[in-house]
Amino acid sequence: MDNNNPHKGHRKRVKEKIIAGGLSSFQPHEVLEFLLFYSIPRIDTNPIAHKLISVFGSLENVLDASVDELMSKGGLSLDSAVLISSLRDVFYHYEKAKNTKKSINSTAEMVELFRPFVVTQTSERLIVAFFDSGLRLKSIKEFGNGQENGLRFNAKDILREAISFNAYSVAIAHNHPVSTRLPSKEDINTTSDIKNQLEYFDIKLIEHIIFGTDGAFSFAADEQASCFISSDGNQR
C-alpha cells in the first residue's frame, strides 16, 4: 500500500533540496510546509501551508500572527502555533547575536543593522541600538507601541536604557510602512528631543534611520538633517 503513496519520500526529498541549495528557491507555502514537518510528523503539511497563506494573506503575516490567531483562524495545534509564532523572536535573537561586538563604520552598515527589525512590519516600530566608544553594539531593543500610521514611546525609557548599558552613543531607526522614507516634522522634532535628552548625560545620538516604501533615509548622511543628531558619530 505504501508503494502506491505519491507522498512517500517527499519529506526526505525536501530536506535534500534544502541541503543542496537552501530555501531561496522555495515558494512561501513550501517554507511553511517544511517548518510544519517538525510539529506535524505524519500528515501532509502542504494543504495546511496553503490554507495558512490563504487565510493570512502572506508568509510574513503568518509569521506575525499570534498563537491564538494561528489556532483559531489557521486551525493549527498548540505545538504548531507556538513553533510558527516564535520564529520572529528567533530571528531577532539571531540578528542581535550576529551584530554584537561588530563595529559599525558606515551608514550602509547601520542600515543593514536595523533592516531585519523593521522591513517586514506592517505597523511603525522604533528600534534603538546602544554602542560603546568603538561603535561596537552593546544591545539593540524595540521601544514604543506602533499603529499603522503612528508610533508612541517615551524618550526617557531610551535614556534609562542607555545609562544602564553605559552606552557611549545611541542610534535609532523606525519605519514608515505605507509612506516615503522622508522624515516628517514629527520625526525631526522627536529626533531632536531624544538627542537633547541623551546629550544632557553625555550620550550621543549618532544616527536616525527611517525605512519607507522607497528605501532608507539617514539623518547622519543628509546635509540638512544631520544637524538634528550629534556631530561626531564617526559615520562615513
Side-chain angles (χ1 to χ4, degrees), residues 115-135:
R115 186 185 301 279
F117 299 96
V118 297
V119 292
T120 62
Q121 302 302 323
T122 55
S123 61
E124 287 197 28
R125 303 292 175 92
L126 177 70
I127 309 299
V128 182
F130 304 91
F131 299 93
D132 66 14
S133 59
L135 279 180

Side-chain angles (χ1 to χ4, degrees), residues 20-102:
L23 288 163
S24 59
S25 65
F26 279 46
Q27 295 297 313
H29 74 274
E30 292 177 312
V31 175
L32 284 174
E33 177 188 5
F34 164 68
L35 290 172
L36 291 169
F37 285 176
Y38 297 95
S39 58
I40 307 175
R42 297 183 185 83
I43 299 174
D44 180 11
T45 57
N46 183 278
I48 301 172
H50 274 289
K51 178 184 176 181
L52 288 169
I53 297 292
S54 176
V55 168
F56 291 97
S58 68
L59 175 60
E60 66 186 72
N61 287 345
V62 174
L63 298 181
D64 280 339
S66 68
V67 170
D68 287 344
E69 289 172 330
L70 290 168
M71 293 176 67
S72 61
K73 297 179 182 179
L76 293 183
S77 67
L78 177 61
D79 286 347
S80 294
V82 170
L83 171 67
I84 297 300
S85 68
S86 68
L87 289 175
R88 196 177 74 181
D89 286 339
V90 172
F91 301 152
Y92 173 87
H93 285 288
Y94 168 75
E95 292 295 337
K96 180 179 176 181
K98 187 174 72 170
N99 286 294
T100 299
K101 300 190 182 302
K102 176 183 177 182

Side-chain angles (χ1 to χ4, degrees), residues 171-224:
I172 64 177
H174 82 283
N175 58 321
H176 293 166
V178 294
S179 63
T180 176
R181 63 188 173 180
L182 296 177
S184 66
K185 183 177 180 179
E186 182 180 359
D187 292 333
I188 292 171
N189 291 338
T190 295
T191 306
S192 183
D193 180 45
I194 294 174
K195 170 182 179 288
N196 292 336
Q197 292 203 40
L198 289 171
E199 286 189 342
Y200 186 80
F201 290 87
D202 293 323
I203 302 168
K204 304 177 188 305
L205 178 68
I206 58 170
E207 182 62 283
H208 184 177
I209 302 289
I210 301 176
F211 293 87
T213 55
D214 54 352
F217 175 90
S218 163
F219 273 71
D222 186 88
E223 289 185 5
Q224 291 185 323

